[in-house]
Structures are given as structure tokens and as C-alpha cells.
């Protein structure tokens, strides 16, 4: 509907311009031109009055002459020019200096007088320069008035306007098709990319909102290009007819002025943009030179000085960040608008926001770097941090993620890890194995050699427990009623969950072995001997509903 209205407006504007020009052509000889149509005097209390012919200003009267105000002088000049142009004949423009000023003549007849008071002294204008400019404008207006009475010239202008309108309509149709084609493909591409913006299966940004924003941007660009096209067409069509030529020239001049301003701004900032681009290209080149070194250490595992597989990734990120920040600092003075007050104010605001909010971020980042470069933790190791125990699945700059044997994932701030005691169960043995321990308390009436043998036999029965290094038993305490025995083994599960399963199976085998040999477990505390030993005979190891199950 909007384009149909536009198609209807274009012929109406052409018809309006042609009718106005034709009305000037068919004015009867000897009739005064209506002042509201071809010649107007625009009063201005402080700046004078303008004399306008065919919508084109000829001169501005600023001073009085023989008691006549600028407004009265403009009206008299209007009447004189109307009579001279309607009378026809010689329309040569000339001037004659007098004591009052310079008389402007048309065909040897006085049109108006220019005085010293009419010159714009603030602009450095003199009476001579004012006279020359007025004569040039008056000759142009008279030529256009002559053209407005030439039917052949009007038909030629109308033909050119029709041709230009046809070209504008063709460009409009092409622009509309291009808008539909680009919009459909761009929306399809954005929709495909939006589906990939997920984190752990969660959509980061709603796809329909992204599509709505892109659709509005495409429509806004289409509207802007459409406005430019209609603006350019209107200026060209109006410039084809004498009566509306001044309007068309004003439209074209404004449009060209804006375009020239943009072009001048682009050309003036182009050298600085090239310098800034060179800074970023150098930064990209340095990053590219360092990439093979980091990739070699990451893939081969070979150590180069202090750089190894554990520190290569954080080192890569820190090096890239420093390089790009350095490039940004070096290119900052060459960016367009960098010296403006608005740009400086924005820089101060960003610096203030960073300084206020960066204290905790810097602390977390420093803690992450300490963990990475001190090699306290590595991905895949089984650790205990405070009350949390699990396998490290990710060691980042700000946080560390643990996955427990029960399937839960815990995210810990790096500052908390640095300030806590860390138990690493994977460093005592090579490879992916880790230490596993459990404690039991047995009465003094059971020989300690038997207890150690039972614990070792239970460990060797447990799947996942390594035979080398061999399980070991330590007597960690001699309490009032019992000694405490700590069984330490090495296990090698395939992931974080099997560790809990290994520990569960180890506890199950300890119970089975102690029941087989008739040794009662008194954990965690031995208080008194019961009336009968707390043992489970083998015939009752799998009562319903656990029949047939085993460790």
C-alpha cells in the first residue's frame, strides 16, 4: 500500500510543476503577475525585505531610501519588474551609478535602486559586490522567465521529467526486489546461526528476537535508500521547470552538501583509519607467529622452558589479550572522533566502571593464574577442596568445576581454592590412578596382623583397585578401646563416577571378608562388647529382595 501511494504521488508532483510553469506561460500580456505567485516581498523587521521572482531571491533591501522602508522598496521593485517582464521586448539588465546608489535597469527602464545601506557589512559586502551579485541573479531570473513563456522548452522539460520518473520507478522496483531477496536470505542465515547460540543446551538469545531485530534493520535500510531515491528524483524533476527550478536546486544542493560532507569526512579520516588498521594487522600477524609455538606444545606435550601442556592454553589467551590491548591502545589516537569531548567522556566512564567492578574480577583471575602456573591442579585429577570432593573437569581463569562421583557438578571460585587446603589424590601415583582410603576400628582382642591381612584381601578382591603399588594398612591410632586401621589403595577408574563405585565395592568386600573370618567391625567407635558377636553368616549375605546380588 505504501508503494502504491508513492507511485500516485510521483505523477501528481510532475503535474503540479508543469501546471505552474504553464500558468506563467499563458498569462495575458499587460497583466500584472500576481505577487503571491511570481514576485513576493518578504518583510523582516531586523534584516530587511527580500525581492523574490519565480521563487528565486533577487536582492534583499536592508536600508530605507527617501523615506521608503525596505518593505516598501521591495513592493515597488516587485511592481516595476512585473510591468517590465509582462511588456516584453528588450530585457537587458544594466546599472547606472548615482548619488543615491546604483540604479538597476531592465531594457533601459528603472527596476529598483541599491544603496550603501543594502550591503551586508557583517559579511564584508560592498555596494559594488552587491550590485554585481544582484545583476547576475536578475539575469538568471529573466532568462528563466523567458523560458517559462517558451512552450517548446516546457515540453522538453516535461519529457525529461517523464524519462527521469521512469528511471526512478525502475530503480524503485529493482530496490524492492533486492530488499526482498536480501531480506529472505539474510533472515535465513541469521536463523541458522541463532540455532547455534546455545550453552549446555540452553538458548542464549531467543531466535525470534534476533530475527525481529534483523528484519527491522533491513527495513530501515530499505526505507533509507527509498527516501534517498525519492529525494533525488524530486530534486531533478523540480529543476526541469523554471517556476520550481529554485526548489529543485535547493534540494539538490542540500543533498550534495550532505554527500560532500560525508565524503570529506571519510577522506580526512582515511589516513588515520589506515594507520589504525595497520596496528591491528600487525597485532594479528604477531598472534599468527605465536600460534605454531603454542600448538606444538599443546599437541606434542613437549616442554619449552616453563611452558608445558598445562600452561600453554592460559599463556596463549594472556598473550593474545595483551597483544590486542596493546594494538588498541596504539590505534586509539587514530580512531575517528578519538579527540572529541564525547569520546573522551565515554573513555572516562568506561575506565571508572572497570576500576569499580574489576577488583573481584582481577582477584579471581589472579587466583586462576596461580592455580594454572603453580600446577596445583590439573584437569582429570581427583581432589578434595574443603568439603567438596570430585574430579576436575575444567580449570578456567575464574572458576574450577568438579564432578562428584554421585553425578553432581560443583563450580568453585578460584579465590576460594587458593585460600583452602587442597587434597590431591592423583599425584601420588603415575597415570590416571588416584589414592583411595578408608578407616575401620577393631577391638584389641583381634590380632592386628589378622586385621591387616583381611583389609588387604578385601582390597585385592575389589575391581578397579591396582595391585601395584600394593595396598597398604596403617594403624593411625591406639584409642582407649580399639586401634584404628587405615587402608590405602591405588585405583584407576575411567571417569569420576566409577570412583564412588570403587569405594562402595571396597566397603562391601571389607564387610564380606570380615564376616567370613568371624571378625566383628566396631566402627566408628568401640564402646563395649555385645552379648553376641555382630556377624552375618554367609548363608544370609543375600536375603530377599537382594537374592542373587553381590559386590
Amino acid at each position: 500500500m505504501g508503494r502504491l501511494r508513492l507511485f500516485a504521488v510521483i505523477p501528481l508532483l510532475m503535474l503540479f510543476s508543469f501546471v505552474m510553469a504553464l500558468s506563467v506561460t499563458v498569462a495575458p500580456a499587460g497583466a500584472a503577475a500576481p505577487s503571491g505567485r511570481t514576485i513576493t516581498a518578504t518583510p523582516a523587521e531586523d534584516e530587511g525585505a527580500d525581492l523574490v521572482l519565480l521563487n528565486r531571491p533577487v536582492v534583499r533591501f536592508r536600508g530605507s531610501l527617501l523615506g521608503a522602508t525596505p518593505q516598501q522598496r521591495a513592493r515597488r521593485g516587485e511592481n516595476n519588474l512585473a510591468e517590465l517582464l509582462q511588456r516584453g521586448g528588450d530585457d537587458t539588465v544594466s546599472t547606472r551609478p548615482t548619488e543615491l546608489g546604483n540604479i538597476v535597469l531592465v531594457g533601459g527602464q528603472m527596476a529598483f535602486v541599491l544603496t550603501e545601506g543594502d550591503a551586508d557589512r557583517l559579511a564584508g559586502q560592498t555596494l559594488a559586490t552587491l550590485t554585481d551579485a544582484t545583476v547576475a541573479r536578475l539575469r538568471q531570473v529573466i532568462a528563466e522567465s523567458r523560458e517559462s513563456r517558451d512552450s517548446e522548452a516546457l515540453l522538453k522539460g516535461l519529457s525529461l521529467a517523464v524519462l527521469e520518473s521512469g528511471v526512478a520507478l525502475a530503480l524503485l522496483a529493482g530496490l524492492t526486489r533486492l530488499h526482498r531477496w536480501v531480506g529472505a536470505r539474510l533472515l535465513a542465515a541469521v536463523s541458522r546461526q541463532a540455532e547455534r547460540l546455545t550453552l549446555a543446551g540452553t538458548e542464549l538469545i531467543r531466535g525470534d528476537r534476533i530475527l525481529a531485530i534483523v528484519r527491522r534493520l533491513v527495513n530501515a535500510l530499505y526505507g533509507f535508500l527509498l527516501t534517498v531515491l525519492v529525494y533525488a528524483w524530486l530534486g531533478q524533476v523540480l529543476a526541469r521547470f523554471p517556476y520550481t527550478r529554485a526548489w529543485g536546486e535547493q534540494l539538490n544542493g542540500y543533498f550534495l552538501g550532505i554527500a560532500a560532507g560525508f565524503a570529506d569526512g571519510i577522506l580526512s579520516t582515511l589516513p588515520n583509519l589506515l594507520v589504525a588498521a595497520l596496528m591491528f594487522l600487525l597485532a594479528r600477524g604477531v598472534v599468527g607467529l605465536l600460534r605454531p609455538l603454542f600448538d606444538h606444545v599443546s599437541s606434542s606435550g613437549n616442554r619449552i622452558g616453563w611452558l608445558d601442556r598445562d600452561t600453554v592454553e592460559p599463556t596463549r589467551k594472556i598473550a593474545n589479550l595483551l597483544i590486542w590491548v596493546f594494538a588498541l591502545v596504539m590505534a586509539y589516537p587514530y580512531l575517528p572522533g578519538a579527540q572529541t569531548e564525547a569520546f573522551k567522556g565515554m573513555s572516562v566512564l568506561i575506565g571508572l566502571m572497570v576500576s569499580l567492578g574489576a577488583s573481584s574480577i582481577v582477584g579471581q583471575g589472579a587466583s586462576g593464574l596461580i592455580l594454572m602456573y603453580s600446577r596445583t591442579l590439573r584437569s582429570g585429577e581427583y581432589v578434595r577442596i574443603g568439603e567438596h570432593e570430585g574430579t576436575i573437569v575444567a580449570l578456567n581463569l575464574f572458576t574450577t568445576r568438579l564432578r562428584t562421583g554421585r553425578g553432581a557438578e560443583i563450580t568453585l571460585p578460584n579465590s576460594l581454592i587458593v585460600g583452602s587446603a587442597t587434597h590431591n589424590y592423583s599425584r601420588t601415583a603415575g597415570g590416571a590412578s588416584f589414592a583411595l582410603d578408608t578407616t575401620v576400628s577393631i577391638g584389641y582382642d583381634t590380632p592386628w596382623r589378622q586385621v591387616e591381612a583381611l583389609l588387604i584381601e578385601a582390597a585385592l578382591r575389589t575391581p578397579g583397585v591396582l595391585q601395584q603399588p600394593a595396598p597398604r594398612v596403617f594403624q593411625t591410632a591406639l584409642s582407649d578401646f580399639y586401634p584404628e586401621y587405615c587402608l590405602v589403595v591405588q585405583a584407576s577408574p575411567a571417569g569420576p563416577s566409577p570412583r564412588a563405585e570403587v569405594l562402595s565395592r571396597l566397603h562391601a568386600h571389607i564387610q564380606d571378608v570380615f564376616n567370613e573370618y568371624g571378625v566383628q567391625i566396631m566402627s566408628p567407635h568401640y564402646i563395649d562388647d555385645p552379648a553376641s558377636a555382630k556377624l552375618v553368616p554367609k548363608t544370609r549375605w543375600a536375603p530377599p529382595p537382594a537374592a542373587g546380588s553381590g559386590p
Side-chain angles (χ1 to χ4, degrees), residues 33-41 51-54 74 77-79 81-82 85:
S35 60
R37 178 170 54 83
T38 57
I39 303 175
T40 59
L51 177 61
V52 179
L53 178 63
L54 292 178
E78 170 189 341
N79 295 330
L81 285 174
L85 293 179

Side-chain angles (χ1 to χ4, degrees), residues 65 96-103 113-116 127:
L65 177 63
R96 179 187 303 169
T98 64
E99 295 180 356
L100 296 177
N102 293 334
I103 301 177
V113 180
L114 297 177
T115 65
E116 291 286 349
L127 178 59

